[in-house]
Amino acid sequence: MFLLAALAVGLAPDRAAAQEALDPGGLTFRDFAVNDNGASFNRGDPMIAGGPNQVSSRVLGVDAANGLARVQFASIRVDVSLPLGWQATEDWERGVAYSTDKRFRLIIWRVDFAFEGAKDAEHYAAMKSGSIQARRPTVQARARKLGDGVFLIVYQNVARAQGDSEGRTVFDLVLQKPGNPKEGILVTLGVPASQTDRGLRLLALLKQNLQITW
């Protein structure tokens, strides 16, 4: 496959890149939650920059027993379950969510593959990962196509941003619209490098509970 060939040179396989499917490994949203009954989603955070049309996301429901809130990103027509204690916002092109300590950060985008110069999700994933490695040679990228056709890319040795106490691992999921290779969704989850394994399990939970209105 084009994507695997583009990323195979010099990259040893790892646990994330070897999976046929993402697996939460027995973890649930409760393992990432702060049990505040959803109160965090009603608080704004002036320290988080948003786009020109930034609005608070809509909470569809709170499931305190399972440690999650169901959140709607109306601007991108995506519903997702998030751990209690998180916050979420959106603008015209993306949904953004982050943990109470901001160490876990999630962005969900609508992607026009044709506009980005890619013919489909696989081509886009290869282009994106290749571009990042070209700009930041210390970043390692590992990727594969999962059993359900979704592309998973794992970026390691990502430099820490302002306010971070350590380097980062970033996960990308690239989903293609059924029946239309020109459109898709990009799910990006960044976590502290020391939390890579837990971050991968959280990504599995997010993916399992992602509802997209195509």
Side-chain angles (χ1 to χ4, degrees), residues 5-34:
L7 296 176
V9 178
L11 295 177
D14 65 2
R15 174 176 176 179
Q19 293 189 70
E20 286 297 328
L22 290 176
D23 183 0
L27 296 187
T28 71
F29 283 104
R30 291 192 302 272
D31 294 291
F32 302 91
V34 175

Side-chain angles (χ1 to χ4, degrees), residues 1-144:
M1 296 177 64
F2 177 79
L3 172 62
L4 298 184
L7 296 176
V9 178
L11 295 177
D14 65 2
R15 174 176 176 179
Q19 293 189 70
E20 286 297 328
L22 290 176
D23 183 0
L27 296 187
T28 71
F29 283 104
R30 291 192 302 272
D31 294 291
F32 302 91
V34 175
N35 192 9
D36 64 354
N37 293 313
S40 63
F41 292 99
N42 295 317
R43 295 196 303 267
D45 189 341
M47 300 303 294
I48 297 296
N53 301 310
Q54 181 183 4
V55 296
S56 297
S57 56
R58 179 186 176 192
V59 177
L60 301 177
V62 173
D63 184 349
N66 289 306
L68 63 90
R70 191 72 180 161
V71 172
Q72 181 180 74
F73 292 129
S75 60
I76 56 172
R77 305 190 304 280
V78 171
D79 297 349
V80 64
S81 292
L82 297 171
L84 294 181
W86 281 41
Q87 291 180 262
T89 187
E90 61 182 296
D91 56 32
W92 65 273
E93 65 175 5
R94 63 184 183 172
V96 179
Y98 41 91
S99 62
T100 184
D101 57 9
K102 302 181 181 62
R103 299 174 71 207
F104 286 64
R105 302 192 285 267
L106 173 72
I107 305 177
I108 304 177
W109 318 71
R110 285 272 171 174
V111 183
D112 183 333
F113 297 133
F115 179 81
E116 299 293 339
K119 63 182 181 180
D120 55 22
E122 181 178 13
H123 190 200
Y124 172 80
M127 287 175 56
K128 184 175 187 290
S129 55
S131 174
I132 288 176
Q133 286 189 292
R135 296 197 311 269
R136 300 178 176 88
T138 59
V139 173
Q140 294 179 309
R142 295 173 170 84
R144 70 165 295 130

